[in-house]
Amino acid sequence: MNAHPEATPEAGADSGALVELADVSKYYGNVRALEDVSLEVHPGEITCVLGDNGAGKSTLIKIIAGLHPHDTGTLRIAGEETRLSSPRQALDRGIATVYQDLAVVPLMPVWRNFFLGSEPTTGKGPFRRMDVRFMRETARAELARMGIDLRDADQPIGTLSGGERQCVAIARAVYFGAKVLVLDEPTAALGVKQSGVVLKYVAAARDAGLGVVLITHNPHHAYLVGDRFVLLKRGAMAGSHLKGDVDLDELTRQMAGGSDLDELGEALERAPVPDHLGGGAARGPEPGGR
């Protein structure tokens, strides 16, 4: 198993990463939300970021998505050092973020949500209107290209399952030219079958050449598709591994707290009860007794 390497500006310049964070920190006043976190996102790979609530996953998403600029450290996109100041700037650099609470309009059809905010038009001047035919046909074709077998692109997106809505969001990001896809807990509220459907399309995005950042608290889901694993704990890195260097049991152990969990187990072990407090009665009758 490899601990995360010491990151330097020179080391990351030619790494081939689509996105690279080197010793990135974020503070809100005196509160440390993230400190000295490093990760790499490569084309055709999935980088999984694991951690419990409060580990710093949301802050990391906001930095990559351009919502909040980082305070210290280095952020590179395609090898170029940069500081993102808005989600639009991140999108323009090819970074698309799909949040857990998907920004969809439930009563609108699937094709309308697919193009929401980026609607193509046809005609000129006062005759300009949305190109409904193009949107409907393109949405259906793009979903099919990703392997998403949708019953009807005209049905309200609110009638789809949570997993299907996640898949539509992934296909949308791919269509609009995303190079990096950041997924915020896409399987958190889903059952086993629906989680499997989403992970299938996460893998399809990887196979299409995208670099994927999968944020999750589920090490089993991460290990199924991940190539790299970054573990966060209380805003700091608790580990960084390539898939060939760590197995699922060790990843789960580190995610659960490792030595902290061992100490908790020892503390919770049932101590023997002294005889004068009823310890003898707890053992039951002696052999041959009544």
Side-chain angles (χ1 to χ4, degrees):
M1 281 170 277
N2 62 322
H4 64 281
E6 195 71 25
T8 63
E10 292 77 17
D14 299 316
S15 67
L18 294 171
V19 171
E20 181 183 9
L21 278 68
D23 297 327
V24 164
S25 300
K26 180 67 183 177
Y27 298 89
Y28 298 101
N30 293 325
V31 178
R32 179 197 73 177
L34 215 60
E35 187 169 33
D36 294 337
V37 171
S38 301
L39 64 80
E40 294 182 2
V41 183
H42 289 259
E45 288 188 0
I46 298 174
T47 298
C48 298
V49 180
L50 299 105
D52 288 326
N53 293 334
K57 303 191 303 295
S58 295
T59 302
L60 184 65
I61 290 174
K62 290 172 182 175
I63 291 173
I64 299 175
L67 281 168
H68 292 174
H70 59 287
D71 292 323
T72 62
T74 304
L75 168 63
R76 293 188 186 86
I77 299 177
E80 179 185 348
E81 185 172 341
T82 187
R83 179 181 295 270
L84 297 174
S85 57
S86 70
R88 171 52 59 184
Q89 189 180 6
L91 280 170
D92 290 343
R93 299 296 297 270
I95 300 174
T97 303
V98 178
Y99 294 98
Q100 185 176 342
D101 50 343
L102 297 172
V104 298
V105 182
L107 296 180
M108 283 186 176
V110 172
W111 61 264
R112 184 72 169 84
N113 276 277
F114 191 91
F115 283 94
L116 194 62
S118 301
E119 294 86 351
T121 58
T122 185
K124 297 181 179 180
F127 301 103
R128 183 182 296 274
R129 63 190 185 280
M130 289 194 303
D131 194 341
V132 174
R133 178 178 179 181
F134 174 82
M135 287 192 285
R136 182 181 285 114
E137 292 178 353
T138 301
R140 185 180 291 113
E142 289 300 314
L143 292 171
R145 190 169 70 87
M146 285 287 290
I148 301 173
D149 184 18
L150 201 61
R151 294 179 293 278
D152 182 7
D154 285 298
Q155 70 186 100
I157 199 168
T159 64
L160 302 182
S161 68
E164 289 172 327
R165 290 196 296 272
Q166 288 281 355
C167 297
V168 170
I170 293 171
R172 181 184 190 278
V174 173
Y175 172 74
F176 281 102
K179 298 177 182 177
V180 176
L181 181 62
V182 183
L183 300 169
D184 174 23
E185 299 273 9
T187 62
L190 305 179
V192 175
K193 185 175 181 180
Q194 284 296 318
S195 294
V197 170
V198 172
L199 292 176
K200 173 183 174 184
Y201 297 121
V202 172
R206 172 202 65 199
D207 294 342
L210 277 71
V212 180
V213 181
L214 176 63
I215 311 291
T216 182
H217 65 272
N218 190 319
H220 293 82
H221 291 169
Y223 203 77
L224 282 172
V225 296
D227 299 288
R228 299 169 182 264
F229 307 98
V230 173
L231 293 98
L232 298 182
K233 181 179 180 182
R234 299 174 186 172
M237 290 187 69
S240 179
H241 309 283
L242 297 175
K243 188 164 189 174
D245 298 327
V246 65
D247 59 23
L248 176 58
D249 289 341
E250 178 60 21
L251 191 67
T252 303
R253 180 179 179 278
Q254 291 188 25
M255 167 100 185
S259 59
D260 291 345
L261 193 64
D262 294 338
E263 292 176 7
L264 178 62
E266 293 175 4
L268 295 178
E269 283 184 0
R270 186 183 298 274
V273 181
D275 288 343
H276 71 279
L277 293 179
R283 289 193 298 266
E286 296 292 333
R290 296 182 180 180

